[in-house]
Amino acid sequence: MTAALTRNLLADQAADQLRRRLQAGEWEVGSKLPGETTLATELGVGRSTIREALRMLAGQGMLRPRQGAGVFVERTEPEADGWEAVLQREAVTAVVEVRAAIEIEAARLAARRATAADVAAMRRALDLRAAASDAPDREFVEADTAVHRSIVAAAHNAVLSELFETFVPRITDAMVEMIGLLGLRDRDTEPNADEHAALVDAIAAGDAVAAARISRAHLEAMAADLR
């Protein structure tokens, strides 16, 4: 269909070809792109190259990945500030990576150390998060962060708590940016509610393995959406 791409700068060239096809109207706004395997075959490159090319076009505002659903056409021309959006995504991804370093271990420790009062505080934080579902983005993010703060507190590790509190302003700004970048609340006013409830349930049950797994899956999915 399309001549095989040369090995030099494959991802850039794949992105260029896909961009031209988008601009030519091959896929309408709102439509779903073919899968990575199909595109890789059409362009004569590997799936990892296609994945990177799709990330570039998403960074330019032309595509939007939806977890578990595929990649959809957002617009047929790059946004004027497309490369700024790429840099913004990279910065938010870095914050998510640091969150993982803190919060996965906090979840594991909380499952082992949480008191009844700690669990009650987590459930109150979940209720406040739900109550903020229709609030402005920053207010919702602050309610979401309060859930994670209650989990870190339940780990009963003073250094971990200090690290988290020092990082909270950066987390808040990054999560507000992420909501805007990915349009998360366009699809769901209270994203990831079930995951948060499941995490608290695992901690309340004293299941350290499940708590760490749920926390890791939540943050890895967030990082994947940004890519």
Side-chain angles (χ1 to χ4, degrees):
M1 187 172 184
T2 304
L5 300 174
T6 65
R7 295 179 61 184
N8 184 40
L9 298 175
L10 284 177
D12 286 338
Q13 294 185 41
D16 285 342
Q17 290 205 27
L18 292 173
R19 188 183 302 107
R20 286 196 294 271
R21 291 168 69 176
L22 285 163
Q23 291 170 328
E26 184 169 339
W27 300 293
E28 296 180 354
V29 172
S31 66
K32 180 180 176 181
L33 257 62
E36 291 177 0
T37 301
T38 299
L39 292 174
T41 300
E42 290 178 359
L43 273 64
V45 297
R47 288 182 61 187
S48 61
T49 298
I50 290 297
R51 195 172 300 119
E52 177 65 14
L54 294 176
R55 187 191 70 82
M56 291 178 184
L57 296 177
Q60 295 175 37
M62 299 182 75
L63 303 177
R64 176 175 299 210
R66 298 181 187 172
Q67 186 181 350
V71 178
F72 292 79
V73 180
E74 187 75 4
R75 54 178 52 82
T76 57
E77 293 290 340
E79 290 182 323
D81 60 349
W83 292 115
E84 181 179 339
V86 171
L87 296 176
Q88 188 180 22
R89 283 173 183 258
E90 295 295 338
V92 175
T93 299
V95 170
V96 173
E97 290 173 350
V98 175
R99 282 190 62 182
I102 296 172
E103 293 180 30
I104 294 171
E105 181 63 10
R108 186 181 69 83
L109 292 174
R112 294 178 174 177
R113 301 174 179 174
T115 65
D118 291 328
V119 173
M122 289 180 228
R123 297 208 186 279
R124 284 196 300 272
L126 282 176
D127 289 342
L128 291 172
R129 184 182 189 275
S133 61
D134 293 324
D137 289 349
R138 183 165 293 273
E139 186 175 335
F140 175 77
V141 167
E142 288 171 351
D144 177 86
T145 302
V147 176
H148 296 282
R149 177 185 281 113
S150 70
I151 293 170
V152 173
H156 294 283
N157 181 305
V159 175
L160 204 58
S161 292
E162 183 180 353
L163 283 171
F164 183 79
E165 289 303 327
T166 300
F167 198 49
V168 161
R170 190 73 179 271
I171 290 175
T172 303
D173 289 343
M175 294 305 101
V176 171
E177 289 180 7
M178 188 183 73
I179 286 173
L181 282 168
L182 302 182
L184 294 179
R185 300 182 76 200
D186 296 342
R187 304 192 299 272
D188 186 352
T189 56
E190 192 190 346
N192 310 123
D194 291 343
E195 291 178 8
H196 286 72
L199 176 56
V200 171
D201 286 343
I203 293 170
D207 192 336
V209 173
R213 174 177 50 77
I214 293 167
S215 181
R216 179 179 293 106
H218 170 61
L219 291 162
E220 286 181 351
M222 195 180 295
D225 280 348
L226 286 162
R227 288 193 290 269

